[in-house]
Amino acid sequence: MVSMDRKFWVPPVLLLAFHLFCASSQSTIGWLNIDCGSDAERLDPNTLLTWDTDKDLIKTGVNKFVSEKQQLDEMDTLRSFPKGQQNCYNLKVDKKTERYLIRAGFCYGNYDGLSSPPTFDLHIDGGKWSTVKTSLSGEPIYQEVMYKTRGSGHISLCLVQVKDGGVPFISSIEAVPLEAAFPLYPEMESSYSFNLVSRVNLGGDEVRYTGILTDEKYNRIWTSGETPPNCDEVFTESDSSAENEPPDAVMSDSIEAEDDAGPIILSVDLSQATTPQSAYIVLYFTEKEALGTGDTRIIQVYIDDQMKSTVTFEFLKCKVVTIYPVIARGPTINVTLASDRKYSVAVVLSLVFHLLSASSQITIGWLNIDCGNNAVRVDTKNLLTWVTDEDLIQTGINKQVPQKQSLEEMNTLRSFPNQTQQNCYTLSVDKQTVRYLIRAGFYYGNYDGLSSPPSFDLHIDGQKWSTVKTSTLAEAPIYHEAMYETHGSGSISVCIVQLKDGGVPFISSIEAVPLWALLNPLYPKMETNNTFELVSRMNFGGDEVRFTGLLSENYNRIWTRGTTPPNCNEVSTLPDIFSPENDPPISVLRTAIESIDLTHPITLSVDLSPTTPQSAYFVLYFTETTSLPKPGDTRIIQIYVNGEMKSTVTLEFNKCKVITLYPVIVVGPRIDVSLSSASGSTLPPIISAMEVFTRLEHQKSSSPPPPPASHGMRGHFFCTHIIIISCICLFLLLKA
């Protein structure tokens, strides 16, 4: 070793240590760590993380201790919720951070002495996140999600009691901001959140964030994976530059199949969600510390017996394979890693299996209000939470219809017999979301026994939206829907307005769905300063289509069954494999109506309530039939509105054509849309679906929204770290 005077070589080492400590401490800035049920804030001396109490984040529940002390201090206490079906935390987060890692921890620990671990649901921002099934085991149970905040500045985390499930509780909540500059999991779409199913370290022990020198920068937990019987645990060379930044402690352990022992098969339990869901799978591969001359390692990756990828290994380099989307149907998903037998090394190697699901995050931010109901209700079929309206309006009385309806939200209503001309709901919505789909539902059901269905007006933010005419004959609800521009106000006022001699107004349901302003927004030709009321949305050749979970209707639209004209046949069509404009559901694009021959046009009539001239927005969806046309066949359609030719469309096999006509000036009481065969067409006209909107001739007030609340950084958190780090560095310097 080269000799060097102490006074010269000690200071650089100390400076390096100081740099490491200071830089590492910054990685926890903005982390939120909540020790639920604890009475006092505490500093973890090992990780230097501050764990806050939850007393200012929720008003309900009681603090409890587990029966025996746990290895993790945050699991010694919990907050139990013996009252109320839904209990919610309000977490303040940075508005500018787009994605957070959110993790909720649960350790039953027989805190109630009943030896009866409960089961309950976990909701996030109004949508179901997961079902928590606790146990008597001393190990914590975690639920984790990569969550899109959309700039709201807060996240609502709710524990929801289920029938016969027992008393819900929670032990810990953690939130870590994920910076957009170096994104984790780059193939995750910006419009979805992803629920963690499994993150396992194969061949090694559990890996967590353990302090300022740890190389797990995002507070992820890598659990110890089970080694299959045909595999050995081996050491591998780590790669610090790998995608998603897996820690070195994870990358240095692996499993390798024994010679001629067959493939590695990894199974993941999906029992919580056996319905189809979209899975995001990440596999990390690194090579052993030494290989023989000429050895090559090439493996094939299969998901549920379907080959998805081939990986060729390189020494000292981590290969990260992301497979997305994968449609998983549960209750398990199998990942098989098999050798390509053409090469000299007949073994396979896997480090980490990391699977996330996007299935439960479609409904994040949706608002579903069951007017007149006394309790929060969870639609277990569609995984939607219907809240009561008791905190949204101060007038009216709850009523029930005499006969049970298939849609539970139509079994109750709020009636307004108080002679107040205007009764208003105030809906809290996301300030950052430009456009919302707002739908109000009405089902009279002769709830008052008078057989006198009322008529009344519907207003939105102080201006008339529509006139509601209810009926005793209607077997289905009456809906009024609008594409509404919020302009960042943070709230929407929906008012039920009494008319002279119109009877007593009522309302059955209110739904609000955020339409995120992404690269491909819905209905892109709708001006941002106007509201558009839905007149008709029809699915031709098929039944009504609603949101029924994953792979259905992503925006909660209702596509009613369209009437088939007498000169048309209902046919099956081949939907576009790529999502066409406005994202119509696949089930809508799979059916159509087709004219019986070239000489008969398809005529579609739409009723308009106002008869004055108004600006209409038409969207027509065309798909081709499942049978391939004969060579030389073409389908060319001319589109007429009230006798005036507006567009010509040439169809292509396996491609959806979307035609938007706007603005079209129409005068009620009816619009006729005709589809005729153009000259040169050898096939008759066809159509799958049609939407018609009219523009409301008023604009929303442009008054500025109220200033946002301040969500500054906790000063004591930052100062505590600086003091501790300074003391450490000073101690090292003096000792030297």
Side-chain angles (χ1 to χ4, degrees), residues 144 181 191 238 445 591:
E144 181 184 310
S191 57
S238 62
T591 60

Side-chain angles (χ1 to χ4, degrees), residues 355-380:
L355 185 146
L356 301 103
S357 168
S359 63
S360 62
Q361 301 305 318
I362 295 174
T363 62
I364 295 299
W366 289 20
L367 182 62
N368 303 279
I369 304 167
D370 190 348
C371 302
N373 203 344
N374 294 318
V376 174
R377 172 177 62 84
V378 178
D379 183 339
T380 56

Side-chain angles (χ1 to χ4, degrees), residues 581-597:
E581 186 177 295
N582 305 327
D583 200 13
I586 293 294
S587 56
V588 167
L589 300 181
R590 282 178 175 157
T591 60
I593 54 174
E594 181 183 37
S595 177
I596 57 176
D597 57 38

Side-chain angles (χ1 to χ4, degrees), residues 292-322:
T293 303
D295 277 344
T296 304
R297 197 187 306 269
I298 301 177
I299 69 171
Q300 294 174 331
V301 181
Y302 293 80
I303 308 294
D304 287 341
D305 297 328
Q306 290 189 348
M307 211 271 277
K308 295 292 185 179
S309 182
T310 299
V311 186
T312 301
F313 284 57
E314 298 179 44
F315 186 61
L316 290 180
K317 186 172 181 62
C318 174
K319 289 295 182 78
V320 181
V321 176
T322 298

Side-chain angles (χ1 to χ4, degrees), residues 563-583:
T563 301
T564 301
N567 66 318
C568 292
N569 296 318
E570 296 181 358
V571 295
S572 297
T573 50
L574 190 64
D576 199 340
I577 59 173
F578 300 105
S579 179
E581 186 177 295
N582 305 327
D583 200 13

